[in-house]
Amino acid sequence: MQAVVVEREIGGATLRVETGKLAKQASGAVLVTYEGTAVLTAVTEGPPRGGGDFFPLTVDYRERTYAAGKFPGGFKKREGAPSVKEILTMRLTDRPIRPLFPKSYLNEVQIMSTVLSSDRENDADVLSMIGASAALSIAQLPFHGPIGAVRIGKTEEGLVILPTVSELAESSLDLVVAGSADAVCMIEGFGKEIPEDEMVEAILAAHEQIREIVGLIEELREKTGWKPVEYDESVDTSLYDKILASHKDAIRDAKATEGKLARAAVIDEVLAKVKEELIDPESDDSPTEDDVYNAFHQVERRVVRDRILEGVRPDGRTAEEIRPLYSEVGLLPNVHGSSLFQRGETQSLTVSTLGSVSDEQRVDGLQEEYTKKFMLDYNFPPFSVGECRMIRGPGRREIGHGALAERSLVPVIPPADKFPYTIRLVSEILESNGSSSMASVCAGTLCLMDSGVPIKDPVAGISIGLVKEESGFAILTDIMGDEDHFGDMDFKVAGTQRGITGIQLDLKITGIDEQIIRDTLAMARSARIEILRHMLRTLKRPNKEISPNAPRLYRMKINSEKIGMVIGPGGKHIRALQEETKTDISLEDDGTVTITGLDAAGCDAARDRIEAITEDVKVGKVYKGRVSSITDFGAFIELVPGRDGLCHISELDHGFVSSVTDICKIGDTLEVKVIGIDDHDRVKLSRKVLLKKED
């Protein structure tokens, strides 16, 4: 069994790509290894599905728990539906690859990546992207690659190539870039308010490493004896030419109609006329409805792009003009916070819920399990675009858009010691005509402020588009649906006035150069500042108080050695305390105590009780204690759980006491004062010093 192996040093370690040993019945398969992490990626091709002009490319990425020596969590000890991390990696792999196939190629292609080994420090997601490119590059498919992919981090020492999980925890940047040897074709990154110039520097540094990876894959091609695939990319344009000649002006006029739904209705009328003219049910040579629709769609694309390059956008705006903005907060009466943000015909209603530590999201995967205290979920119902369709759970798009908005807001979320609440935002997209994920960022910021979350800075987001032809290109601020659909780029940028917190580039062309990246980020910053000004006119700063509907939450620190005193035997003390005060109490190993309740009085009572239980007994302090036992020489009184003292019979009263039981019995509550603590930590108490002495 002869394997072909290529290696190259990337980021201080060896990147290894091997083929010819595993999964040999696939169209192309490679094993990509970096340090202790290995990913097997296999590519297969199938016949076209038929109908429409959509390229049926499917990417699947799975993390086998055995790769990290773990069992799957939960009752069933077998991997099931893909996790959020796996879905996001599928999208990350798909996005740079899809545009690199010919427009006319409609065969089904499936890419499957499986993590076979994980050292828990080197993430497998970028290796999956490299593996997909390598497997496609040695398969007999019309793939216009190869491409490479790399992750960049940023520490005090500078940029880090392929940072480990530990390094990312200390990094101000988590940036993934994919591209060919000549251009960048995909970007996804998140940072702690990274200035535009520094972001460009990181992207260019990533591209240098991408060239090395592309060279590695080309070496693999050469060693395997791969030969270019002969594929005829020419298409029959006769139907397109006929529609362009006869209906170009009608389509052009229809595209000038104001309003998304009204514009679509007029376009449908033109399409109906075209079908009536060109389709003859009685003729065997007549084009099909699909043929006419696909050709009409291409003419529509041509018209929209030509108008944009002439300086005329579908809704008449200038290239840098943002659609009308509207926002408000506090819409809903019984939630913890709410906001509405509208940009043109895109509308997000975002609602917040504040909770306790017990509401944090546990995340389990190949790395160590951790919890999230901030979450943002994104919903995209069909009515938001005026459609009827099957309603299922969240799809890959909804998960991806939610993750983009969430991670764009994470850098401004206050740390737990300043705001200990768990925060969940839900963005309900009620209307959509372009960049609803960035609307979710804007609405999310306003909702956090309405909820009383002391965010570091407000965050806004915008999407920048591109139409690029040999004759020139146009960059567009705040793209609407048609500009996204018929354009070449969707470049989303979110951030504060100080810098970028989230960035995502998707292309329909093979790549863009440095100048377009710089121009796009400059336009995005200008638009972002304008949107931030609008948002701050709606709500200048976070509310000082959280909603009265939200739970009260207090955090305190106790001596970790006294956690057992709060919990009590078998949890007896903490259960009783929670029942009495109507609160929820959680304790961490370091002594952090979080108290959550529906009203402040209950939380205050629980806090006072915990302070009393855990504080050190002090000489001179007065306590109300319970008599726990009685002897001939005095009474033992429990001052706090697990801590008692002796009130000698001579200290019970000013007069003579013949028997302790004359003064108290077991279970009585006595007010006593600490008068001493001896070298053996024994507490001496007195009752009589608190009594008024009779003459």
Side-chain angles (χ1 to χ4, degrees):
M1 188 179 295
Q2 186 65 38
V4 176
V5 178
V6 292
E7 295 180 340
R8 198 157 299 192
E9 186 172 308
I10 305 290
T14 300
L15 177 66
R16 185 176 192 270
V17 182
E18 174 186 330
T19 189
K21 185 176 182 180
L22 303 177
K24 295 188 295 297
Q25 294 187 42
S27 302
V30 297
L31 181 69
V32 182
T33 306
Y34 190 79
E35 297 282 52
T37 299
V39 180
L40 173 67
T41 302
V43 171
T44 50
E45 179 189 33
R49 292 180 181 176
D53 61 351
F54 180 75
F55 172 38
L57 170 67
T58 303
V59 176
D60 193 79
Y61 167 89
R62 298 303 174 107
E63 296 180 341
R64 303 299 190 212
T65 54
Y66 61 68
K70 298 173 67 175
F71 279 86
F75 181 76
K76 291 182 67 176
K77 299 303 176 185
R78 177 168 183 158
E79 294 90 346
S83 66
V84 170
K85 164 69 187 309
E86 289 170 325
I87 289 171
L88 294 177
T89 304
M90 295 174 198
R91 287 173 56 84
L92 208 59
T93 305
D94 181 298
R95 285 159 41 205
I97 284 172
R98 186 174 291 276
L100 301 180
F101 283 87
K103 300 295 183 187
S104 59
Y105 180 75
L106 300 179
N107 283 15
E108 185 162 10
V109 175
Q110 187 175 61
I111 301 170
M112 296 189 67
S113 289
T114 307
V115 183
L116 302 182
S117 175
S118 172
D119 58 14
R120 301 195 187 190
E121 277 294 317
N122 293 282
D123 204 325
D125 54 2
V126 170
L127 303 188
S128 168
M129 299 171 71
I130 295 170
S133 172
L136 287 167
S137 295
I138 60 173
Q140 288 297 298
L141 297 175
F143 173 61
H144 295 163
I147 60 169
V150 71
R151 171 175 270 110
I152 299 288
K154 186 178 177 66
T155 64
E156 292 181 357
E157 287 73 33
L159 297 176
V160 182
I161 310 301
L162 290 178
T164 63
V165 172
S166 300
E167 288 171 329
L168 276 178
E170 305 299 323
S171 174
S172 61
L173 176 67
D174 180 3
L175 176 70
V176 176
V177 182
S180 64
D182 304 317
V184 170
C185 63
M186 195 282 298
I187 300 171
E188 178 149 325
F190 305 94
K192 297 176 181 177
E193 299 178 281
I194 304 294
E196 278 72 11
D197 287 346
E198 292 183 19
M199 184 63 79
V200 173
E201 178 189 349
I203 293 169
L204 296 180
H207 196 226
E208 286 297 316
Q209 300 301 315
I210 285 169
R211 290 191 180 99
E212 291 292 320
I213 295 168
V214 168
L216 180 72
I217 297 173
E218 287 175 340
E219 181 185 344
L220 180 71
R221 268 183 166 178
E222 185 178 339
K223 284 190 173 183
T224 58
W226 177 86
K227 290 182 173 51
V229 177
E230 293 184 5
Y231 179 80
D232 184 6
E233 297 189 27
S234 63
V235 293
D236 182 3
T237 63
S238 57
L239 198 55
Y240 165 87
D241 294 336
K242 188 178 293 186
I243 297 172
L244 183 66
S246 60
H247 291 85
K248 178 182 177 181
D249 291 341
I251 294 173
R252 190 182 182 92
D253 292 342
K255 282 298 178 184
T257 305
E258 188 174 341
K260 175 184 174 180
L261 296 181
R263 186 162 50 249
V266 177
I267 283 290
D268 285 344
E269 290 175 6
V270 178
L271 175 59
K273 290 179 182 177
V274 171
K275 287 181 178 179
E276 186 178 351
E277 291 175 12
L278 297 179
I279 298 175
D280 181 2
E282 305 299 324
S283 171
D284 293 337
D285 297 329
S286 173
T288 65
E289 284 208 14
D290 281 345
D291 292 336
V292 173
Y293 175 81
N294 292 337
F296 182 89
H297 187 264
Q298 291 304 313
V299 174
E300 191 180 356
R301 177 178 184 272
R302 179 76 275 149
V303 168
V304 171
R305 293 171 66 87
D306 286 347
R307 280 168 57 84
I308 289 172
L309 291 172
E310 292 165 6
V312 182
R313 298 178 69 174
D315 57 358
R317 285 179 292 145
T318 63
E320 298 188 23
E321 188 176 349
I322 300 171
R323 288 173 289 176
L325 301 173
Y326 173 81
S327 59
E328 63 175 291
V329 295
L331 290 79
L332 304 178
N334 204 41
V335 298
H336 300 169
S338 59
S339 68
L340 181 71
F341 180 85
Q342 181 141 4
R343 187 186 60 249
E345 294 177 293
T346 296
Q347 184 184 77
S348 168
L349 172 67
T350 297
V351 184
S352 71
T353 306
L354 303 180
S356 66
V357 174
S358 62
D359 295 310
E360 290 183 3
Q361 174 68 60
R362 291 175 57 190
V363 181
D364 191 18
L366 296 183
Q367 277 78 43
E368 295 298 325
E369 182 180 294
Y370 65 95
T371 61
K372 287 167 51 178
K373 72 181 292 286
F374 172 64
M375 296 152 272
L376 189 152
D377 294 326
Y378 167 101
N379 293 321
F380 191 86
F383 66 74
S384 66
V385 287
E387 295 178 358
C388 293
R389 65 169 181 263
M390 184 74 72
I391 299 172
R392 298 187 176 91
R396 292 186 183 186
R397 179 182 180 277
E398 288 169 302
I399 289 171
H401 279 38
L404 173 61
E406 176 183 300
R407 293 194 66 185
S408 296
L409 289 170
V410 163
V412 301
I413 298 297
D417 59 349
K418 286 190 175 181
F419 193 78
Y421 286 89
T422 298
I423 308 164
R424 181 182 183 231
L425 300 183
V426 178
S427 173
E428 304 284 0
I429 302 302
L430 306 183
E431 296 181 44
S432 181
N433 187 14
S435 194
S436 55
S437 62
M438 293 297 96
S440 298
V441 170
C442 300
T445 293
L446 289 170
C447 188
L448 288 168
M449 294 168 70
D450 183 55
S451 307
V453 179
I455 59 174
K456 180 182 176 184
D457 277 305
V459 181
I462 194 70
S463 184
I464 308 296
L466 171 73
V467 172
K468 189 172 185 289
E469 297 285 355
E470 291 183 4
S471 58
F473 65 87
I475 301 177
L476 309 172
T477 294
D478 182 23
I479 55 173
M480 56 191 291
D482 273 359
E483 293 168 331
D484 181 12
H485 184 65
F486 296 116
D488 298 318
M489 178 178 84
D490 182 6
F491 203 150
K492 303 180 181 75
V493 185
T496 67
Q497 61 179 347
R498 292 183 174 85
I500 295 169
T501 58
I503 183 171
Q504 186 183 85
L505 167 67
D506 289 325
L507 291 174
K508 296 174 186 171
I509 54 178
T510 56
I512 56 175
D513 58 23
E514 178 184 346
Q515 191 56 53
I516 290 179
I517 293 172
R518 288 189 182 277
D519 290 348
T520 297
L521 293 183
M523 287 179 69
R525 175 173 175 76
S526 176
R528 187 168 78 241
I529 297 301
E530 182 178 339
I531 295 171
L532 284 169
R533 289 195 184 107
H534 163 83
M535 291 164 58
L536 292 175
R537 285 195 291 270
T538 300
L539 187 59
K540 187 171 289 187
R541 59 183 61 88
N543 288 331
K544 292 183 178 179
E545 300 291 335
I546 63 171
S547 165
N549 299 315
R552 306 296 105 174
L553 194 151
Y554 298 92
R555 181 165 282 194
M556 58 187 293
K557 199 74 175 281
I558 64 172
N559 186 333
S560 59
E561 295 179 357
K562 297 186 177 183
I563 291 175
M565 297 169 63
V566 178
I567 296 174
K572 176 183 176 182
H573 293 162
I574 195 169
R575 282 198 302 270
L577 183 55
Q578 289 179 136
E579 289 175 9
E580 291 172 18
T581 60
K582 301 292 189 293
T583 59
D584 179 69
I585 302 169
S586 64
L587 297 98
E588 299 174 28
D589 292 341
D590 65 352
T592 300
V593 181
T594 304
I595 305 167
T596 311
L598 295 178
D599 64 87
C603 292
D604 289 342
R607 181 181 57 194
D608 292 344
R609 290 279 297 279
I610 292 172
E611 286 178 347
I613 291 170
T614 58
E615 73 174 349
D616 293 328
V617 174
K618 298 177 182 177
V619 174
K621 187 165 183 178
V622 176
Y623 293 87
K624 281 187 177 180
R626 186 183 66 85
V627 178
S628 58
S629 65
I630 292 175
T631 66
D632 292 339
F633 53 83
F636 285 93
I637 300 170
E638 186 180 50
L639 305 177
V640 296
R643 185 73 159 141
D644 58 14
L646 172 65
C647 187
H648 192 268
I649 192 170
S650 63
E651 294 292 336
L652 285 172
D653 201 274
H654 289 293
F656 174 74
V657 178
S658 61
S659 173
V660 174
T661 55
D662 292 342
I663 302 297
C664 61
K665 59 182 182 293
I666 293 174
D668 284 353
T669 298
L670 292 184
E671 190 172 44
V672 292
K673 184 176 183 178
V674 178
I675 58 174
I677 300 176
D678 66 17
D679 294 340
H680 298 287
D681 203 32
R682 292 178 297 197
V683 180
K684 298 178 181 180
L685 306 173
S686 175
R687 174 176 176 267
K688 72 180 183 181
V689 297
L690 301 176
L691 301 175
K692 187 175 180 180
K693 190 173 182 180
E694 296 181 4
D695 295 333

